[in-house]
């Protein structure tokens, strides 16, 4: 999402504007619709962007490996710094911060990269499809959320050989099985 802020850069410090955000962001191979409102405020150095955005991302449950949609709330707060002076066109020094967002020479403030970074931070490291996800049977790989499997409670062989035996018994080769993941 790109906003031309040339007028706001010429306005006095503290002046505010608000914008509706409705944008598709591509993240981790998928795309998500991001919606909400942001407020832009002129600061002494640039433009402060603040707002709450909502989106949903598709993630894989860390226990049962099923794909599910997870809602995310992004509380954005970032200051953007112009790289040139809006009146004179002279280049401006950027603050000595490791990462800072900039307003380009056409006075365009681009929210997309900030939204993408906030989404990456908001996605949980080990997502669960539900709090009490039962996970997969370690022997046969059955999704235990769909009910119990037929495995005996005691097993003598290692997980991998059990799994291989089962996949072969189902007449599916191991490579095919991996290929579907
Ligand atoms: Zn799960
Ligand atoms: Zn099982």
């Amino acid at each position: 999402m790109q906003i031309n802020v040339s007028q706001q850069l010429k306005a006095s410090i503290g002046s505010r504007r608000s914008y509706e955000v409705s944008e598709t962001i591509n993240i981790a191979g998928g795309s998500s619709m991001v919606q909400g409102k942001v407020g832009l405020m002129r600061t002494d150095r640039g433009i402060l962007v603040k707002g709450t955005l909502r989106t949903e991302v598709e993630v894989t449950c860390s226990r049962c490996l099923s794909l599910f949609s997870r809602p995310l709330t992004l509380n954005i707060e970032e200051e953007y710094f112009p790289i040139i002076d809006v009146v004179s066109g002279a280049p401006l020094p950027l603050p000595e911060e490791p990462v800072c967002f900039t307003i380009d020479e056409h006075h365009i403030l681009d929210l997309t990269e900030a939204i993408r970074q906030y989404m990456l931070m908001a996605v949980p490291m080990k997502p669960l499809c539900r709090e009490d996800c039962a996970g997969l049977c370690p022997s046969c790989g059955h999704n235990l959320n769909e009910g119990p499997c037929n495995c005996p409670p005691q097993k003598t062989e290692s997980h991998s050989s059990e799994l291989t035996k089962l996949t072969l018994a189902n007449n599916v080769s191991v490579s095919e099985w991996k290929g579907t993941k």
Side-chain angles (χ1 to χ4, degrees), residues 1 60 76 78 91 101 152 155-156 162:
M1 171 163 180
T60 304
I76 306 257
E78 286 295 334
F101 291 103
K155 51 186 189 295
T156 51
E162 280 283 336

Side-chain angles (χ1 to χ4, degrees), residues 129-160:
C129 62
R130 57 189 211 212
E131 225 24 67
D132 60 345
C133 171
L136 301 177
C137 167
S139 299
C140 70
H142 176 77
N143 186 341
L144 297 174
N145 295 318
E146 294 161 7
C149 58
N150 295 321
C151 291
Q154 289 287 329
K155 51 186 189 295
T156 51
E157 291 176 76
S158 76
H159 297 170
S160 56

Side-chain angles (χ1 to χ4, degrees), residues 44-56:
D44 55 344
R45 302 188 298 176
I47 304 269
L48 180 69
V49 178
K50 253 174 125 168
T52 303
L53 305 177
R54 283 168 307 282
T55 186
E56 265 186 12

Side-chain angles (χ1 to χ4, degrees), residues 14-176:
S15 73
R16 294 161 188 272
R17 283 170 202 216
S18 63
Y19 295 87
E20 296 280 344
V21 175
S22 179
E23 171 157 9
T24 306
I25 302 277
N26 293 313
I27 180 170
S31 61
S32 299
M33 191 66 184
V34 179
Q35 286 180 302
K37 228 178 194 178
V38 289
L40 271 57
M41 190 182 81
R42 177 71 164 111
T43 63
D44 55 344
R45 302 188 298 176
I47 304 269
L48 180 69
V49 178
K50 253 174 125 168
T52 303
L53 305 177
R54 283 168 307 282
T55 186
E56 265 186 12
V57 286
E58 191 144 272
V59 290
T60 304
C61 175
S62 62
R63 241 180 242 166
C64 71
L65 308 181
S66 62
L67 272 178
F68 66 101
S69 234
R70 199 195 143 100
L72 297 180
T73 302
L74 313 173
N75 291 307
I76 306 257
E77 181 168 349
E78 286 295 334
E79 193 168 10
Y80 280 71
F81 303 96
I83 62 168
I84 63 164
D85 186 282
V86 68
V87 179
S88 68
L92 290 174
L94 291 175
E96 289 183 15
E97 285 165 33
V99 191
C100 76
F101 291 103
T102 54
I103 298 163
D104 75 9
E105 66 273 24
H106 305 295
H107 318 299
I108 298 295
L109 184 156
D110 192 347
L111 278 178
T112 307
E113 181 55 22
I115 294 174
R116 216 180 60 83
Q117 288 186 15
Y118 275 76
M119 282 172 77
L120 282 173
M121 284 189 284
V123 175
M125 295 288 282
K126 291 195 169 177
L128 289 177
C129 62
R130 57 189 211 212
E131 225 24 67
D132 60 345
C133 171
L136 301 177
C137 167
S139 299
C140 70
H142 176 77
N143 186 341
L144 297 174
N145 295 318
E146 294 161 7
C149 58
N150 295 321
C151 291
Q154 289 287 329
K155 51 186 189 295
T156 51
E157 291 176 76
S158 76
H159 297 170
S160 56
S161 61
E162 280 283 336
L163 191 58
T164 308
K165 238 168 69 183
L166 179 108
T167 18
L168 290 175
N170 282 344
N171 218 2
V172 178
S173 79
V174 173
S175 61
E176 267 171 3

